[in-house]
Amino acid sequence: MTVFQLDPRLAADTLPVMELQLCSLRLMNDRRWPWVILVPRIEGACELHDLGEEHQAMILQESVAAGRVLSQVTRCEKINTAAIGNIVRQLHVHVIARRQDDANWPGPVWGFGVREPYGNDAAASLITRIKSAWQSGTGKTT
């Protein structure tokens, strides 16, 4: 049996938020967009079809819940959800809060400009708000 390991690039680019039933929920360390990443803790998964049906349903539920939480916490205008994985092969789902006045609206966030890391206090505050919204029922997945 292999032990799940987070891809080093995801570990370097994100901050831990909380563990969900299937996924590790992480905050992308880029203050230009409130952006979380869900990484299913299944070793070797690269594509959604690598997951069994039960885990496919769970990752969809957790992704939808993450969008609901980000929408509540940020009061954004749009949620973008994507599983691309061209650079980091480990399966992960991006859930990004977008606003018309954000850094690259309406264009994609990938490859735009230079990442702007959160300050410690700002990251901690957003993580606390995400966890609180999730635990209050906004992140309910059933």
Side-chain angles (χ1 to χ4, degrees):
M1 182 168 143
T2 58
V3 176
F4 172 77
Q5 291 185 25
L6 183 65
D7 181 278
R9 181 155 179 169
L10 290 178
D13 291 347
T14 63
L15 304 167
V17 176
M18 62 192 297
E19 297 301 309
L20 307 176
Q21 188 173 353
L22 175 67
C23 296
S24 291
L25 182 66
R26 302 186 63 88
L27 177 66
M28 178 63 86
N29 193 7
D30 189 343
R31 67 182 181 87
R32 297 175 297 166
W33 300 281
W35 176 353
V36 295
I37 294 178
L38 295 101
V39 184
R41 292 181 305 276
I42 298 177
E43 191 63 34
C46 293
E47 306 293 346
L48 288 168
H49 64 259
D50 291 338
L51 303 178
E53 289 182 12
E54 180 181 354
H55 288 150
Q56 289 173 8
M58 288 172 68
I59 196 169
L60 176 60
Q61 291 170 347
E62 291 179 358
S63 298
V64 168
R68 189 180 306 117
V69 164
L70 271 186
S71 185
Q72 176 187 328
V73 167
T74 68
R75 302 290 183 218
C76 63
E77 297 164 16
K78 181 74 176 99
I79 292 290
N80 293 168
T81 305
I84 298 173
N86 292 345
I87 295 173
V88 174
R89 302 277 304 173
Q90 183 174 49
L91 179 58
H92 60 287
V93 176
H94 301 265
V95 181
I96 309 162
R98 301 296 306 271
R99 301 184 63 82
Q100 288 187 22
D101 62 353
D102 75 28
N104 196 34
W105 179 271
V109 298
W110 290 276
F112 177 79
V114 177
R115 183 168 63 105
E116 298 176 16
Y118 286 98
N120 289 339
D121 290 343
S125 174
L126 182 54
I127 288 169
T128 297
R129 291 172 30 223
I130 290 169
K131 288 168 79 170
S132 177
W134 200 289
Q135 293 164 349
S136 73
T138 301
K140 184 177 177 184
T141 60
T142 58

